[in-house]
Amino acid sequence: MARRKLDIRQHYPIKLPNGRTIRITYINHPGAVIVAPFLNKDTVVMMRQFRPALKKYIYELPAGTLDPHESAAACARRELLEETGLKAKKLTKLGSIYPVPGYSTEVIHIFKAEQLTMTHAQPEEYEVIKIMPMTRPKVRRLLAQGKLMDAKTICTFAFCKWL
């Protein structure tokens, strides 16, 4: 699948609740998902993914942008399969977050995946990913050491009550 082009709205007029009108620049985002795939109650499947904008690998959970007319649950299943090769028999929506409300309309829908089976990962050509099952103590150590910095992943663990 091709990368989606972002809809950047520049100098867009917005009327504020106080009656003033200002011009802002923001990203009109189609929405996204993130999935916490649990092998069991003590082990989650994380990824170490290269992020070109940062020019480095970071630890995160499988995530991705919704395609047009795609439900959040369908996107969660698709991203989980593409990035990890896992299929979930049980998928539970835990909530949603606004990751960057100062400049984007993006909403990320948070899912927990359980009862997993392994198939073959199908990453996009721009995705460089290493799959890493991790225990709760290991995830907590990464966070304490400043090595887990992905905000959507940290929020997802909070929704799972796992940190």
Side-chain angles (χ1 to χ4, degrees), residues 97-108 151-152:
I97 60 171
Y98 296 115
V100 286
Y103 63 86
S104 176
T105 63
E106 181 179 17
V107 175
I108 299 178
K152 68 186 181 306

Side-chain angles (χ1 to χ4, degrees), residues 30-34 64-79 91 93 109 111:
V33 301
I34 185 165
T65 303
L66 282 109
D67 286 336
H69 311 292
E70 182 179 39
S71 72
C75 182
R77 288 184 186 285
R78 176 178 54 78
E79 288 293 339
L91 188 68
K93 184 170 181 186
H109 306 280
F111 289 87

Side-chain angles (χ1 to χ4, degrees), residues 46-50 57 60 83 128-132:
M46 292 194 68
M47 305 181 318
R48 194 164 169 264
Q49 181 168 344
F50 186 78
Y57 285 89
E60 57 188 302
E83 295 183 350
V128 181
I129 297 169
K130 180 179 180 189
I131 305 305
M132 307 179 78

Side-chain angles (χ1 to χ4, degrees), residues 2-22:
R3 291 204 72 169
R4 297 155 200 85
K5 185 176 180 184
L6 290 178
D7 177 13
I8 300 174
R9 310 245 170 129
Q10 295 186 332
H11 312 293
Y12 189 82
I14 297 283
K15 187 170 184 172
L16 300 175
N18 65 7
R20 293 184 179 161
T21 298
I22 62 170

Side-chain angles (χ1 to χ4, degrees), residues 36-39 87-92 112-117:
F38 283 89
L39 295 174
K87 286 186 178 183
K89 188 171 184 179
K90 182 178 179 187
L91 188 68
T92 307
K112 180 178 183 179
E114 299 171 285
Q115 300 173 22
L116 307 173
T117 56

